[in-house]
Amino acid sequence: MKINSSSSSTLIKGVSGNSRHDNSPASIGGSTKNRADVDLSPAARQLAALNDNSADIRAERVQQIRDALASGELQIDAGRIADSLLASVRDLLK
């Protein structure tokens, strides 16, 4: 698992303000005759704004975890993680 500070969102790639540019093969190849501008609803703009994860990352805590992993203080119990994932899947399937 790699932890880094760079993130990109492919979900809203190409979205800016009130419109989005078509990423169809015709528009990527240089032809703009099939290009369409789309007005986003206020709800879509709000969802795009919520996708900004920068406030969700606590850099200090991430650095503490990196340091603990590097020094060997933090041990990952893969079996415990697997058991929790399986339990979660079982709950979803009920």
Side-chain angles (χ1 to χ4, degrees):
M1 175 183 207
K2 183 176 180 181
I3 301 173
N4 61 26
S5 62
S6 65
S7 65
S8 63
S9 173
T10 57
L11 179 63
I12 60 171
K13 185 175 183 178
V15 175
S16 63
N18 294 332
S19 65
R20 168 178 86 129
H21 298 293
D22 183 16
N23 286 331
S24 67
S27 67
I28 293 171
S31 172
T32 58
K33 67 180 180 180
N34 291 332
R35 186 175 144 200
D37 289 335
V38 178
D39 289 331
L40 297 177
S41 69
R45 284 193 298 274
Q46 183 178 10
L47 286 173
L50 289 174
N51 196 33
D52 179 24
N53 303 3
S54 62
D56 295 340
I57 299 171
R58 295 184 347 201
E60 182 180 304
R61 180 67 178 138
V62 170
Q63 189 59 47
Q64 288 174 348
I65 293 170
R66 283 182 179 163
D67 294 343
L69 281 169
S71 68
E73 294 174 28
L74 181 63
Q75 297 296 319
I76 305 297
D77 185 356
R80 183 174 166 200
I81 294 170
D83 290 341
S84 296
L85 285 171
L86 288 172
S88 176
V89 170
R90 284 187 196 110
D91 288 343
L92 290 172
L93 293 175
K94 287 183 182 180

